[in-house]
Amino acid sequence: MSEEPILSVRDLRITYQTGRNSEVVAARDVEFDLYPGQSMALVGESGCGKTTLGLGLLRLLPKLGRIPQGEIVYRRKDGTTADILKMGKEELRRFRWSEAAMVFQGAMNAFNPVQRIGAHFADTLKDHLPEGKRLSKTEIRERSEELLRMVRLEPGRVLPSFPHELSGGMKQRALIALALALNPQVLVLDEPTTALDLLTQCSIVEELHRLRAEFGFTMIFITHDLGLAAELADRVSTMYAGRIIETGTAEDIFYDPRHPYTSGLINAVLPVVGDLPQLASIPGSPPSLATLPAGCAFGPRCEYVQDRCREAVPALEPLTDRPDGLTHATACLRAEDVQHSREVVSRA
Ligand SMILES: Nc1ncnc2c1ncn2[C@@H]1O[C@H](COP(=O)(O)OP(=O)(O)OP(=O)(O)O)[C@@H](O)[C@H]1O
Ligand code: SF4
Ligand SMILES: [Mg+2]
C-alpha cells in the first residue's frame, strides 16, 4: 500500500432538504482515509446513509442533497491533491469517470430501454472524454469492444442488443465496463449484486476480484450483504443513522465486532454452507433521521444500553493502532463488554 491516501475524508456532513425550512442530516461526522488499491465495504441496514455517502464522495447527490461541512481530499493520477468539495464544474467533470466512477444503485434498470447497449457506450465515451479530445466512430467501437471483453462479455452479441435482451448479470457486467471506460482510480459500486440470483452474484464478485487484480483500482463497495462484504473488502465500515459506527479490517469486523449493531448484523447473516444457525435479527428498526434519540442512536435497540449511553453521541474511538486506515475503531461506550460468538461462514 502507498503511504498517501487516495481519499481523505474529514468531518463530512450531508443533508437533504425536506421542506422549506427543514432538513435531515443523512451523513455526519464521517472520517476515513482510503489508500490506493484498498477495497472498503460500507454496510448497514436500509436508510443508514450508505448511498448518500457514496454519492456525496463524488458530489453526485440529488438536487435536495447538500454537503454543508467537511473535506474530501482526493489524490489525482498525477499525484496532485484537491478537495472534491472545492472543485469547480469543469474540474468536477474531469474528475468524474476519469478519476472516480460510480455504478449506481438500481442502475441496471436505468439503461434506456429503446437504446442499444452500443449507443450507451458511445454516449459515455463521448460525454466524458477530457476537453478537446475526440474519438472517431472506429475508436469508440474498438474501445467499447475492449471494455466488454474486460468483463468477459461478447461484444458482437452485446453491443447491438437492447437492454431487455440481456440477462441481469450481463447488464451488471456492462455497467461495470461502462464505469471503467475512462480508467478511473476509484470505483464506487452501490449494491451491484442486489437484484441478481446467488450464482450470478458470485460471478460478479469473481469478476470484481479479477478486475481489481488486473487494474488495481481502489474500491468502495456499498452493500447490506455482509457475506459479500466479507469476500470483497479488505476493510469494512458499518453505518448506522448516518454515522460510521465501526470500522476495521474484514477480520476485525467479522470475527471481533465491538459494536452491538455490527455484531447483530453479522448474526443475521445466513451461511450458505455449514449448519443452519439460529438466526438472530436486531429488534426494531433504524430511527427516523428527523428525530434521532439522545446520545447513541442505537440505544433504543441495544441490549447493552446504560444510562450513560443517552448522555452524548459516542465518538469513533480506535481500539488498535494500525497503518493505512486499517485501525479497528468503534463508537460504543461498552466496546469491551460486547460478546460475539458466532463463526462467520463465507459463501466462497
Ligand atoms: N433525495 C432525498 N431526499 C430526502 N431524504 C433522502 C433522500 N435520499 C435519501 N434520503 C434519506 O437519507 C437517508 C439515507 O438514505 P440512503 O439512500 O443513503 O440509505 P442507504 O443506506 O443507501 O439505504 P438502502 O440500503 O435502502 O439503499 C434515509 O433516511 C433516506 O430517507
Ligand atoms: S454506546 Fe451504549 S447504546 Fe450505544 S451501542 Fe454501545 S452500549 Fe449500546
Ligand atoms: Mg442505498
Side-chain angles (χ1 to χ4, degrees), residues 12-14 25-30 47-50 52-53 238-245 286-287 289 292 297:
L12 190 69
R13 172 179 284 243
I14 304 176
V25 183
R28 61 178 80 217
D29 310 326
V30 176
C48 285
K50 306 180 295 296
T52 299
L53 179 54
T238 316
M239 287 192 80
Y240 190 74
R243 295 180 76 225
I244 291 179
I245 50 91
L289 294 175
L292 285 183

Side-chain angles (χ1 to χ4, degrees), residues 27-289:
R28 61 178 80 217
D29 310 326
V30 176
E31 300 214 344
F32 63 86
D33 286 328
L34 190 62
Y35 288 76
Q38 278 185 344
S39 162
M40 176 168 88
L42 284 178
V43 301
E45 290 166 293
S46 187
C48 285
K50 306 180 295 296
T51 295
T52 299
L53 179 54
L55 292 171
L57 292 175
L58 269 64
R59 293 233 342 242
L60 284 165
L61 289 165
K63 213 167 166 199
L64 298 176
R66 249 177 20 96
I67 305 184
Q69 185 180 310
E71 201 178 76
I72 308 172
V73 176
Y74 172 74
R75 182 167 296 275
R76 300 187 188 91
K77 288 175 182 168
D78 65 8
T80 58
T81 55
D83 184 348
I84 294 170
L85 299 182
K86 295 197 175 124
M87 285 182 182
K89 232 177 171 179
E90 185 48 37
E91 204 180 347
L92 257 184
R93 205 186 71 83
R94 285 198 303 269
F95 162 76
R96 292 194 197 121
W97 294 81
S98 58
E99 295 279 355
M102 183 154 183
V103 175
F104 297 94
Q105 184 168 15
M108 266 194 298
N109 304 320
F111 272 122
N112 182 343
V114 295
Q115 205 177 22
R116 293 178 200 276
I117 299 296
H120 286 91
F121 273 77
D123 286 351
T124 303
L125 285 167
K126 277 191 249 171
D127 290 353
H128 300 285
L129 279 178
E131 223 176 350
K133 194 160 181 212
R134 290 184 138 224
L135 289 180
S136 68
K137 270 189 176 170
T138 311
E139 285 170 321
I140 286 177
R141 202 195 60 242
E142 284 172 359
R143 178 66 179 145
S144 305
E145 290 176 355
E146 183 185 11
L147 286 164
L148 285 170
R149 278 192 214 100
M150 256 164 54
V151 294
R152 290 193 273 204
L153 288 175
E154 169 54 51
R157 150 89 170 88
V158 173
L159 285 174
S161 296
F162 288 102
H164 73 269
E165 295 175 303
L166 303 186
S167 69
M170 289 166 90
K171 273 192 269 192
Q172 195 55 267
R173 278 166 194 264
L175 278 171
I176 293 169
L178 267 179
L180 294 175
L182 277 88
N183 295 319
Q185 298 196 101
V186 176
L187 185 61
V188 181
L189 297 130
D190 193 353
E191 306 273 9
T193 61
T194 298
L196 304 172
D197 62 73
L198 194 60
L199 277 180
T200 314
Q201 283 188 15
C202 291
S203 77
I204 296 287
V205 167
E206 207 179 287
E207 207 59 63
L208 288 169
H209 270 307
R210 195 182 54 79
L211 289 168
R212 267 188 73 215
E214 197 172 333
F215 299 98
F217 50 80
T218 306
M219 189 161 83
I220 298 178
F221 188 84
I222 297 173
T223 182
H224 61 266
D225 184 332
L226 275 277
L228 279 184
E231 280 177 44
L232 268 171
D234 320 311
R235 52 187 287 198
V236 178
S237 295
T238 316
M239 287 192 80
Y240 190 74
R243 295 180 76 225
I244 291 179
I245 50 91
E246 183 153 18
T247 183
T249 62
E251 281 205 340
D252 290 335
I253 298 297
F254 290 102
Y255 294 103
D256 188 28
R258 296 279 112 210
H259 195 289
Y261 178 60
T262 314
S263 174
L265 286 178
I266 292 164
N267 281 338
V269 173
L270 182 68
V272 168
V273 290
D275 293 337
L276 203 62
Q278 193 68 34
L279 275 188
S281 65
I282 307 168
S285 50
S288 155
L289 294 175

